[in-house]
């Protein structure tokens, strides 16, 4: 009567808060997910959650199954890891580079969790690969690269982690602060604050300004997100960052965030790995842990 997919579906529904987003997380259409839940409810002869509530409100039966899922699913993951070790797949090396300056917010908890379960795998983030990460991956100097800028390289696989929206941060007294979204033309007179990387690797240029034929009046760089926020808050410029990177500053009322264009600018974050490492159990587990951790700690992201 009960299957693991049912338990995973209920966890996704609880975490996502709606059928639409839960369907994305378990890679089903909303119709297929609704049918799966309805079929389970008919077997159990009881509803599992209240319809037309957001976030989803579970019934007592639904809460009982959620408790079961929280107990069973981690044990399944642990058993899978143990079986991989028994099969001799526990050894490995995971040297990685991050082309995303604001990714440490979710990557560090992922690495901590991974180390606890795969102590035999050597994990490191060596310095010196920030600007040569993907070629270094192909040369086997690295084993994984977090990137939003996939390049066609032989033998390299790009595993999508999640989608995120780029937002424009402006000071609370800025002339644009009362708007919901901005046009490329409105940034032509602004100082744009960016991380110190090529413009061809920044979504605000490649997906927003450059296609429209506009450039900012000035570009200023800063190494750290908090430095960028200080400059924006003091009226020294504006900056475009992933939505999750702005969450704490928006909650403090430090800055205002605007959509880039009426429809917004969305991108996908990838984990680049070599093709031959895709089937390694510890690599599969790291990627799964990365997705689960990112959705538990970041706001505003969507399944890729």
């Amino acid at each position: 009567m009960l299957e693991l997919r049912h338990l995973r579906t209920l966890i996704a529904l609880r975490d996502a808060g709606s059928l639409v987003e839960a369907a994305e997380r378990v890679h089903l259409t909303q119709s297929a997910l609704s049918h799966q839940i309805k079929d389970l409810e008919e077997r159990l002869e009881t509803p599992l959650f209240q319809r037309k509530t957001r976030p989803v409100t579970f019934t007592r039966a639904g809460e009982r199954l959620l408790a079961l899922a929280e107990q069973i699913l981690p044990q399944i993951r642990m058993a899978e890891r143990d079986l991989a070790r028994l099969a001799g797949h526990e050894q490995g090396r995971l040297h990685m580079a991050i082309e995303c300056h604001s990714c440490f917010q979710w990557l560090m908890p992922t690495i901590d969790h991974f180390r606890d379960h795969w102590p035999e795998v050597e994990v490191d983030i060596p310095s010196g690969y920030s600007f040569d990460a993907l070629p270094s991956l192909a040369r086997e100097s690295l084993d994984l690269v977090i990137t939003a800028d996939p390049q066609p390289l032989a033998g390299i696989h790009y595993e999508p982690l999640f989608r995120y929206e780029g937002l424009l941060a402006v000071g609370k007294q800025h002339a644009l602060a009362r708007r919901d979204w901005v046009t490329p033309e409105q940034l032509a007179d602004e100082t744009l604050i960016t991380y110190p990387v090529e413009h061809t690797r920044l979504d605000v240029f490649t997906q927003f300004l450059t296609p429209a034929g506009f450039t900012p009046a000035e570009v200023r760089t800063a190494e750290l997100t908090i430095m960028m926020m200080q400059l924006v808050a003091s009226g020294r410029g504006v900056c475009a960052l992933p939505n999750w990177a702005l969450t704490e500053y928006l909650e403090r009322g430090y800055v205002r965030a605007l959509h880039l264009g009426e429809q917004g600018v969305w991108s996908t974050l990838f984990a680049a790995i070599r093709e031959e490492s895709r089937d390694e159990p510890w690599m599969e587990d790291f990627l799964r842990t990365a997705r689960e951790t990112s959705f538990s700690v970041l706001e505003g992201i969507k399944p890729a």
Side-chain angles (χ1 to χ4, degrees), residues 154-168:
I156 301 301
H157 168 73
Y158 294 93
E159 185 72 20
L161 297 176
F162 56 81
R163 297 181 66 233
Y164 63 92
E165 183 181 10
L167 297 174
L168 186 75

Side-chain angles (χ1 to χ4, degrees), residues 38-105:
K38 184 178 179 181
D39 178 64
L40 179 59
E41 289 176 327
E42 289 176 352
R43 295 191 206 178
L44 298 173
E45 298 182 350
T46 183
L48 297 176
F49 67 95
Q50 298 177 17
R51 267 63 175 177
K52 299 181 180 179
T53 61
R54 186 179 177 93
V56 170
T57 301
F58 287 89
T59 63
R60 290 180 65 183
E63 292 285 357
R64 179 62 185 89
L65 289 185
L66 280 173
L68 177 65
E70 291 175 342
Q71 179 183 5
I72 294 296
L73 294 180
Q75 292 185 27
I76 294 293
R77 285 283 297 276
M78 190 174 298
E80 290 173 342
R81 295 183 183 111
D82 290 343
L83 290 171
R85 290 187 179 92
L86 290 172
H89 297 299
E90 75 276 12
Q91 298 293 332
R93 185 196 74 170
L94 184 56
H95 288 188
M96 65 185 78
I98 300 95
E99 292 187 344
C100 164
H101 285 68
S102 51
C103 281
F104 286 94
Q105 183 178 350

Side-chain angles (χ1 to χ4, degrees), residues 151-189:
Q151 303 293 323
L153 290 173
I156 301 301
H157 168 73
Y158 294 93
E159 185 72 20
L161 297 176
F162 56 81
R163 297 181 66 233
Y164 63 92
E165 183 181 10
L167 297 174
L168 186 75
V170 303
K172 292 192 293 182
Q173 306 303 319
H174 195 282
L176 297 172
R178 294 183 178 274
R179 296 184 60 88
D180 292 326
W181 53 277
V182 295
T183 65
E185 185 177 5
Q186 288 173 315
L187 296 189
D189 297 325

Side-chain angles (χ1 to χ4, degrees), residues 163-166 203 207 243 259 263-268 300-302:
R163 297 181 66 233
Y164 63 92
E165 183 181 10
D203 296 338
Q207 296 192 53
N243 47 7
H259 299 286
Q263 304 301 318
V265 170
W266 286 81
S267 302
T268 301
I301 63 175
K302 295 182 178 181

Side-chain angles (χ1 to χ4, degrees), residues 110-154:
T110 297
I111 293 174
D112 290 342
H113 187 276
F114 180 79
R115 280 194 178 116
D116 289 341
H117 292 92
W118 294 93
E120 305 90 347
V121 176
E122 177 190 334
V123 180
D124 195 10
I125 307 177
S127 61
Y129 292 103
S130 299
F131 300 102
D132 191 34
L134 290 173
S136 296
L137 176 65
R139 293 194 300 266
E140 301 188 14
S141 299
L142 294 171
D143 307 295
L144 183 147
V145 176
I146 303 296
T147 182
D149 185 30
Q151 303 293 323
L153 290 173

Side-chain angles (χ1 to χ4, degrees), residues 215-237:
T215 57
E218 183 182 351
V219 176
R220 178 174 179 173
T221 62
E223 292 278 353
L224 303 175
T225 303
I226 191 170
M227 294 171 58
M228 300 170 77
M229 291 297 97
Q230 290 280 1
L231 292 169
V232 170
S234 62
R236 307 295 293 275

